[in-house]
């Protein structure tokens, strides 16, 4: 009963460029987790497991966290109550060209994974 919604990425313009770390194309997306189950769901294990770029499958993207832009990872209270939902921003920086195909595998827990495909903006 857990549903993950991820928006198409947009170019991320960090208020603090140093937060981007490695060179790359910063991408920002909104993540919503809805719990349609009977038990609370703990998001503490949420992670980007893998990123793959078509131009260079051996290269991966890096997570970006920047408090000034509201990109701080999962919510401070990571528990999603039954019939509830939570939304948060997530950003990554990818060393690929504009329009490159991007595949992201999200991990909601040790056993729940979801693959999302898009392009670099």
């Amino acid at each position: 009963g857990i549903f993950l919604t991820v928006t198409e990425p947009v170019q991320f313009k960090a208020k603090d460029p140093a937060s981007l770390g490695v060179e790359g194309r910063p991408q920002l997306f909104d993540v919503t987790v809805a719990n349609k189950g009977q038990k609370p769901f703990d998001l503490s294990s949420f992670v980007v497991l893998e990123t793959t770029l078509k131009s260079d499958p051996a290269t991966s993207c890096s997570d970006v966290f920047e408090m000034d832009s509201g990109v701080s990872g999962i919510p401070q209270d990571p528990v999603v109550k039954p019939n509830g939902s939570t939304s948060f921003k997530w950003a990554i920086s990818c060393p690929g060209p504009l329009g490159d195909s991007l595949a992201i595998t999200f991990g909601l827990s040790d056993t729940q994974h979801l693959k999302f495909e898009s392009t670099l903006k």
Side-chain angles (χ1 to χ4, degrees):
I2 304 300
F3 296 87
L4 178 69
T5 304
V6 180
T7 62
E8 277 291 316
V10 296
Q11 184 180 13
F12 177 45
K13 294 184 172 131
K15 292 180 181 177
D16 176 11
S19 69
L20 299 176
V22 299
E23 282 284 322
R25 192 168 294 284
Q27 307 291 293
L28 175 70
F29 39 91
D30 294 313
V31 177
T32 300
V33 178
N35 182 356
K36 303 294 183 188
Q38 302 294 318
K39 298 178 186 175
F41 180 75
D42 189 343
L43 272 174
S44 296
S45 297
F46 181 88
V47 67
V48 173
L49 290 172
E50 179 180 53
T51 56
T52 307
L53 298 169
K54 185 175 183 179
S55 65
D56 186 357
T59 302
S60 60
C61 304
S62 301
D63 289 328
V64 174
F65 300 103
E66 187 203 30
M67 301 297 279
D68 291 344
S69 296
V71 182
S72 55
I74 62 171
Q76 285 190 350
D77 179 2
V79 177
V80 184
K81 295 178 180 163
N83 295 312
S85 67
T86 189
S87 297
F88 52 96
K89 295 184 180 305
W90 200 272
I92 56 177
S93 184
C94 301
L98 182 67
D100 197 2
S101 294
L102 168 67
I104 306 170
T105 302
F106 295 97
L108 285 167
S109 68
D110 292 342
T111 58
Q112 295 174 305
H113 304 151
L114 175 74
K115 188 172 184 178
F116 172 80
E117 296 184 6
S118 186
T119 57
L120 292 180
K121 310 298 191 256

